Amino acid sequence: MENGLGNIVTGKVTSITKFGAFVTLPDNRSGLVHISEVSFTYVNDIREHLTEGQEIPVKIIGVDRGGKINLSVKQALKAPAPSRGRAPERTSPRASAPPGPQTFEDKLKAFMSDSERKMGDLRQQEKRPARRRK
């Protein structure tokens, strides 16, 4: 089987490091799946997504001059469907958080919302004339 650029093949995870996973391809060559190419979401610990000995579909996304093969798991899978509608905005990050882990985008949205509210309050205070004591 020829491992050409853009092909999707099934490989076996041989070792896992903090920056990615090494995968053996069907022609016994080895390639690297960088941690950023494991999932569509942020990956803090690659061991939560892959295990040694696991067979996974990978897409060959690059071969450098030295013959090193760059692989991607997320490009071998279909992208998740975009969510319909907007999530309700929270006024404060201390507001009741939804159960389960929050994504970076959720945390950023909560921070921006809270920041805008606070900046609005500051602008209102600046517009009010200062009261003088008699």
Side-chain angles (χ1 to χ4, degrees):
M1 170 182 271
E2 185 172 323
N3 292 329
L5 194 61
N7 287 349
I8 296 177
V9 296
T10 301
K12 186 173 186 177
V13 178
T14 55
S15 65
I16 297 176
T17 65
K18 64 181 179 181
F19 57 85
F22 289 95
V23 177
T24 300
L25 302 175
D27 64 355
N28 289 329
R29 294 195 312 168
S30 184
L32 173 69
V33 176
H34 189 267
I35 193 167
S36 65
E37 291 293 329
V38 171
S39 175
F40 291 102
T41 60
Y42 177 76
V43 176
N44 188 37
D45 182 10
I46 194 168
R47 293 181 189 277
E48 293 175 359
H49 296 269
L50 300 175
T51 58
E52 290 185 20
Q54 179 181 4
E55 290 195 2
I56 55 172
V58 291
K59 181 175 182 178
I60 301 170
I61 58 172
V63 180
D64 68 7
R65 291 182 184 177
K68 294 180 183 176
I69 303 171
N70 298 317
L71 305 169
S72 173
V73 173
K74 70 180 181 183
Q75 290 184 31
L77 304 173
K78 289 185 177 182
S83 61
R84 294 188 160 234
R86 291 182 65 165
E89 290 188 25
R90 295 184 304 203
T91 58
S92 167
R94 294 183 187 136
S96 61
Q102 289 184 309
T103 64
F104 174 76
E105 289 80 14
D106 293 336
K107 291 178 181 179
L108 181 61
K109 186 186 294 184
F111 171 80
M112 292 300 292
S113 175
D114 192 44
S115 177
E116 287 294 323
R117 183 184 53 78
K118 288 179 180 178
M119 290 302 292
D121 291 346
L122 286 173
R123 284 187 209 109
Q124 289 256 347
Q125 287 177 0
E126 289 174 358
K127 290 179 182 178
R128 294 181 193 150
R131 292 188 173 193
R132 293 185 186 180
R133 288 191 140 182
K134 294 183 182 178

